[in-house]
Amino acid sequence: MPLPIVHPYKIRLNITPGLIAILLVLLSPHLSKAQNYKLIKAKDSVNQKASALLRQAFSDKSLSPVFGKSFICGPSLWSALSAGKGNGAIAGTDANFHIQQPDGSLQTRPGKIIQNITEADKLWLRLIRQHSVVLLSAPTKAELVMYASLLAPEIHEPIYIVTLGRNRYLIHIDFRNYSILFLEKLNH
């Protein structure tokens, strides 16, 4: 049975016990610290391996190379996926992101925690279909600030921006086990 976790400032989740540890590391109640994020660099070998596994996920058309037990589908990506028609529902655990607005108010936006490879691959195929060219790049400062505002001001590499046609996605990979932590669509 999922345990309800209420994070007072940022996110309200219903999660299974296996997700508690990773979410406690990722979530921070300090919204104002997003501008002062800290990017912790990984060794070149870690970034190279993560990049190779991500490229393999594109060529295999499956997230298997980078799928652990779960990952978070961010609110912009979930909104875009939810708006799609005829592609079947993607199951997962609801995650509500409470995003601070410039006026100080909080806006609640839904996301999902994807907890199995079948659902992860459904999501992945919806992103990569009809794209033969994949560009991987490092995130800009603005993209890192946006990401820090969603989860935590301390960000460990590897983290990438994936460009597919006109769409850009932020993908954060866990440096310890090379599994995807977070996937979000950027509004560029």
Side-chain angles (χ1 to χ4, degrees):
M1 172 177 235
L3 298 174
I5 298 289
V6 178
H7 193 280
Y9 299 105
K10 297 201 57 152
I11 192 168
R12 183 175 293 140
L13 301 172
N14 291 320
I15 62 173
T16 59
L19 295 174
I20 292 173
I22 194 169
L23 290 173
L24 288 176
V25 170
L26 289 175
L27 302 177
S28 170
H30 307 289
L31 290 170
S32 63
K33 291 189 177 183
Q35 292 289 337
N36 299 318
Y37 70 89
K38 180 179 180 184
L39 179 64
I40 298 170
K41 299 280 189 180
K43 293 179 183 178
D44 286 343
S45 61
V46 170
N47 281 321
Q48 289 168 358
K49 182 174 180 177
S51 174
L53 289 170
L54 196 51
R55 289 180 192 282
Q56 182 182 347
F58 282 104
S59 66
D60 292 354
K61 296 185 178 358
S62 171
L63 278 176
S64 291
V66 291
F67 186 78
K69 293 183 179 181
S70 64
F71 70 89
I72 299 171
C73 174
S76 293
L77 177 55
W78 186 246
S79 176
L81 291 170
S82 299
K85 296 178 182 165
N87 293 311
I90 297 170
T93 301
D94 292 338
N96 289 317
F97 291 82
H98 302 288
I99 303 166
Q100 188 170 22
Q101 303 300 300
D103 66 1
S105 65
L106 292 179
Q107 177 188 25
T108 301
R109 297 194 53 212
K112 280 284 184 196
I113 299 173
I114 308 300
Q115 297 173 293
N116 70 59
I117 190 62
T118 302
E119 299 304 312
D121 282 346
K122 278 189 207 176
L123 184 152
W124 193 241
L125 289 172
R126 287 176 67 177
L127 296 186
I128 67 172
R129 67 174 174 223
Q130 302 173 345
H131 294 287
S132 58
V133 177
V134 176
L135 301 173
L136 282 179
S137 60
T140 65
K141 181 177 180 171
E143 291 162 340
L144 289 169
V145 167
M146 179 280 305
Y147 182 52
S149 74
L150 289 174
L151 290 178
E154 189 171 282
I155 304 167
H156 290 261
E157 285 185 336
I159 186 166
Y160 301 100
I161 300 302
V162 176
T163 303
L164 300 169
R166 294 183 301 179
N167 296 313
R168 293 169 50 87
Y169 303 92
L170 181 140
I171 298 181
H172 191 185
I173 306 283
D174 189 330
F175 68 95
R176 297 164 294 198
N177 62 9
Y178 300 99
S179 64
I180 188 169
L181 295 171
F182 194 86
L183 178 57
E184 176 67 315
K185 183 175 183 183
L186 301 175
N187 296 328
H188 289 246

